[in-house]
Amino acid sequence: MEIPKTYDPANVEDKWYRYWSENGFFRSLPDHREPYTIVIPPPNVTGVLHMGHMLNNTIQDVLIRRARMLGKNACWVPGTDHASIATEAKVVQMLRERGIKKSDLSREQFLKYAWEWKEKYGGIILEQLKKLGASCDWERTRFTMDPDLSEAVTDTFIDLYRKGYIYRGLRMVNWDPVGLTAVSDEEVIHKEVNSKLYYVRYRIEGSAEEWITIATTRPETILGDTAVCVHPEDERYAHLKGRSVIIPIVNRRVPVIFDDYIDREFGTGALKVTPAHDVNDYAIGLKHKLEVIDTLAPNGTMSEAAGFYIGEDRFAVRKKIAKDLEAAGHMVKVEDIRNKVGFSERTDAVIEPKLSLQWFVNMKGISAQALNAVVSGEVKLVPDKFNNTYRHWMENVQDWCISRQLWWGQRIPAWYDQEGEVYVAKTEAEALKLSGGKKVRQDEDVLDTWFSSWLWPITVFDPKVIGAGKGYQGNADINYYYPTNDLVTAPEILFFWVARMIIAGYEYRGKKPFENVYLTGIVRDKQGRKMSKSLGNSPDPLGLIEKYSADGVRVGMLLCSPAGNDLLFDESYCEQGRNFANKIWNAFRLIKSFSTGGETSDSNRSAMQWFHSRFAEQQHIINDHYRKLRISDALMTTYKLVWDDFCSWYLEMIKPEFKDGKPQPLDRETLDQTIEFFEDLLRLLHPFMPFITEELWSLICERGKDRLIAAPWPVPGEPDRKLLSHISLLQGWAEGIKKEKNKQGLKMREPVILAHKNAEFLLDHRDLALKVTGAEDMVPLEQVVGNVMLNTSGTVAAEAGERNKAEYSLYFSFPNSSKDNSKELLEELAYQQGFLESVNKKLSNEKFVQNAKPDLVATERRKKSDAEARIRAIEEQLGKKP
């Protein structure tokens, strides 16, 4: 079979992905095998592929492909999240472009348009993941608003309400004035912005000359002030106990209150208290029973309660009230500052803390098992540096606001009669029954998207688990696949999604939802900035795949992505991945170019023995990396095994010589073993580079239906440590000779004689030593005449496993070189003598010898022995100089 000169990834990728899909290699059904299960963190239905998705899904695909090769029943469940806020914003935008206002539509009409949008655009990101090579079981694709998944969400609400975990209350929430909804903490992006700090003075009641100054960045909220607070031990304000102040503009009389919450050193030490518009102020207000005045309408304009600037936008009012305060003599000064302001992740509107009647989950009561699961190690976070973060969050958990003022999502199953009495029920008929026949109306709000996705590892397998009752044991899928194995996600949703899934897992299955949580880092550019469309620093992932191939991009992403640490992405990593693919392709072409004939040489036998041991040694390391979810390390070890050990060393070791301008044949034993080595390397590479490896697998020989995607993972043998040590010495020798030839300006074919002292252990691989070094002969040192260079010396076990060590020295000679290397030898001698002196000084220190760990003392003694051996070898060589 003729092998194309260059690798064509575009055709190969489409061909093999279609083949895998059509032939059911991604499909999983319960059977007798051990399951290995991953559920995809469902991307927003509004989403398109970005670099974070690329990293996250590449890692998942590596894990699922390896599990498949290990003989496990690998199941990767894909799906999308309905993303209430983001999707509703997209639909509203679509309607606006059609000249339609949401306010002119009924809920049913709006939802019809929303489903239309979802069906048209909602599957884009999943199709894009296929370009990356994601081997999901696409027949299992789920959507968080599938009817049965939505029913499970409703059942969950009802169940938790009846258990006393869900309640309705007036609480401070993050309010999005553009999206017109409460949003969760993780949907608030805090940005550092340029702001102004306004120092405003309030007059003390009963005094024309006495004032108290406060500092605020939001002067428009002065209209809702109901107190001024100072520290009880602040002597500056002790005389104000029992006094009141007059709020500017509105001329409202409010008390001066005292609370140790106040930081006396910050600002003026006095705080305006606006319970309706600040979380901390609200807490102070409850404690001191202050009036609550909500001055902001839901759309961010001033409300009737403000009394002034009614209907005007909050930011316009900020400028107006500053001028009015100055005109009235209340403005002391204004400073320019930098401060952090919360923005809605979905609409980019500035978030307003707002007092609102919402539905909440009592998290303290339901989260104890989820905390213990991570603390005890039952659920492992990788890397474990996140354990403390998780513990802190869970020990200080706040109640979860789960209602959203939207139409797209699962509607809250709560009904109200005319008196405002609430009835939680699945249907209106059930609510009517609970109300005793009173007319009821359903809550207009929908549930937080996370309230559906926290059930994801359960409901993708069996949505009936929630509402079926205690007698229900679950279907075949959930009993086989749950709990899942590994979850791959981002640290920023560790609490908002991961912790909640753990809570739901214990609540509804009595088990953890997954064993390990692999937390990826944030993809950043070379300057350390988070990649984003607004900065224009995020490359198009599909463009990268087109340019560098899917395999190249996968390798590029993983080369720089240790778990939990941010990665500084550079397109050159993808280029490195592409070059690696080309290296593998060219190595295969070289192997296929060998003709066969002749007997197996001792040199080739040594080379095959070495690579067999080297492969076994490195695969043990690779398997350990996988066990510890060190995926980047697993790739790098595999990369070096292929590029350095196989391509740069092994193929050079066995490559036939040229005679009369033609390559000589390679013996059949070596060629067969080389192909077997190459196949094993393809197995190790497949999880990282599925396309090129499957293509090469098919080109080696006729496979029928035997495809690499389902080929068994190699079973590592036990490496010959002594052999690996010996060949490592040879490799170092060869590198030293090459370096010295370059240094002396000698040609690579310049004759070399290898010399050794007490290194007879290398004679077992004499032919290989001559080949890799390009030497003509290997003899004891005393037989060498000519210019001799010291290369290395040390100690080596006389036999594998023995404790006694034999000293050795390795040399090489350029018999035709007349160069005097005495100067280099004298420099090396001086260095070794200085090094020996420093070691002796440390060993002569009784405190060090007595107090240091025995291993450390033994290491220093070995250093002394090695240095003495090198000094003797150099002195012997200098003694031979004329």
Side-chain angles (χ1 to χ4, degrees), residues 486-618:
D486 298 318
L487 178 77
V488 182
T489 190
E492 56 261 34
I493 56 174
L494 175 59
F495 175 70
F496 301 103
W497 188 46
V498 177
R500 289 169 180 167
M501 282 191 288
I502 298 174
I503 292 170
Y506 283 109
E507 184 68 25
Y508 290 109
R509 291 300 292 166
K511 299 176 183 177
K512 60 188 177 183
F514 27 70
E515 295 179 9
N516 303 298
V517 181
Y518 180 109
L519 296 158
T520 66
I522 296 171
V523 184
R524 300 184 182 276
D525 64 16
K526 289 185 287 185
Q527 299 176 42
R529 302 174 303 173
K530 184 177 180 179
M531 288 189 167
S532 68
K533 290 180 181 178
S534 59
L535 287 176
N537 63 344
S538 181
D540 171 25
L542 296 182
L544 288 176
I545 290 174
E546 185 176 351
K547 186 175 182 181
Y548 298 108
S549 79
D551 290 330
V553 174
R554 288 164 67 108
V555 168
M557 294 292 292
L558 292 177
L559 282 175
C560 54
S561 58
N565 293 320
D566 293 351
L567 58 142
L568 300 181
F569 179 79
D570 189 321
E571 201 168 312
S572 63
Y573 287 115
C574 295
E575 185 177 8
Q576 185 178 349
R578 181 185 62 188
N579 293 344
F580 186 40
N582 290 336
K583 183 78 171 180
I584 299 164
W585 186 264
N586 289 332
F588 176 68
R589 291 184 67 245
L590 174 63
I591 294 168
K592 294 296 281 187
S593 73
F594 294 149
S595 59
T596 56
E599 298 295 321
T600 307
S601 66
D602 289 341
S603 172
N604 283 358
R605 284 199 178 92
S606 292
M608 288 185 285
Q609 290 167 5
W610 167 73
F611 191 77
H612 186 274
S613 269
R614 182 64 172 168
F615 184 94
E617 175 196 52
Q618 294 303 296

Side-chain angles (χ1 to χ4, degrees), residues 35 62 152 796 873:
V62 168
V796 68

Side-chain angles (χ1 to χ4, degrees), residues 451-716:
F451 196 82
S452 64
S453 61
W454 76 326
L455 304 173
W456 188 249
I458 298 172
T459 54
V460 294
F461 296 116
D462 188 359
K464 294 181 180 178
V465 162
I466 311 297
K470 290 185 178 179
Y472 182 67
Q473 298 300 311
N475 65 15
D477 273 5
I478 200 162
N479 289 322
Y480 180 73
Y481 292 115
Y482 188 96
T484 65
N485 295 81
D486 298 318
L487 178 77
V488 182
T489 190
E492 56 261 34
I493 56 174
L494 175 59
F495 175 70
F496 301 103
W497 188 46
V498 177
R500 289 169 180 167
M501 282 191 288
I502 298 174
I503 292 170
Y506 283 109
E507 184 68 25
Y508 290 109
R509 291 300 292 166
K511 299 176 183 177
K512 60 188 177 183
F514 27 70
E515 295 179 9
N516 303 298
V517 181
Y518 180 109
L519 296 158
T520 66
I522 296 171
V523 184
R524 300 184 182 276
D525 64 16
K526 289 185 287 185
Q527 299 176 42
R529 302 174 303 173
K530 184 177 180 179
M531 288 189 167
S532 68
K533 290 180 181 178
S534 59
L535 287 176
N537 63 344
S538 181
D540 171 25
L542 296 182
L544 288 176
I545 290 174
E546 185 176 351
K547 186 175 182 181
Y548 298 108
S549 79
D551 290 330
V553 174
R554 288 164 67 108
V555 168
M557 294 292 292
L558 292 177
L559 282 175
C560 54
S561 58
N565 293 320
D566 293 351
L567 58 142
L568 300 181
F569 179 79
D570 189 321
E571 201 168 312
S572 63
Y573 287 115
C574 295
E575 185 177 8
Q576 185 178 349
R578 181 185 62 188
N579 293 344
F580 186 40
N582 290 336
K583 183 78 171 180
I584 299 164
W585 186 264
N586 289 332
F588 176 68
R589 291 184 67 245
L590 174 63
I591 294 168
K592 294 296 281 187
S593 73
F594 294 149
S595 59
T596 56
E599 298 295 321
T600 307
S601 66
D602 289 341
S603 172
N604 283 358
R605 284 199 178 92
S606 292
M608 288 185 285
Q609 290 167 5
W610 167 73
F611 191 77
H612 186 274
S613 269
R614 182 64 172 168
F615 184 94
E617 175 196 52
Q618 294 303 296
Q619 196 192 343
H620 280 295
I621 294 171
I622 291 165
N623 287 346
D624 186 57
H625 286 324
Y626 274 114
R627 277 191 292 271
K628 296 173 181 175
L629 290 178
R630 291 162 57 172
I631 308 304
S632 182
D633 292 338
L635 169 61
M636 185 52 70
T637 305
T638 307
Y639 181 100
K640 290 178 178 178
L641 178 63
V642 174
W643 191 299
D644 297 341
D645 296 317
F646 185 75
C647 295
S648 298
W649 281 108
Y650 175 75
L651 289 183
E652 290 300 315
M653 289 174 178
I654 59 103
K655 189 165 68 174
E657 297 180 357
F658 272 72
K659 286 185 179 179
D660 301 324
K662 295 181 180 179
Q664 298 303 295
L666 183 67
D667 65 276
R668 170 54 64 180
E669 179 186 353
T670 301
L671 180 58
D672 288 347
Q673 182 62 74
T674 300
I675 292 172
E676 188 176 322
F677 286 151
F678 190 73
E679 287 182 332
D680 281 344
L681 290 172
L682 291 180
R683 295 171 200 257
L684 293 185
L685 282 165
H686 180 76
F688 302 110
M689 309 176 77
F691 294 109
I692 189 172
T693 53
E694 190 71 90
E695 177 72 0
L696 290 172
W697 183 263
S698 73
L699 293 174
I700 290 173
C701 62
E702 178 57 44
R703 300 284 184 182
K705 293 184 178 181
D706 174 21
R707 296 302 169 202
L708 181 56
I709 188 174
W713 187 253
V715 178

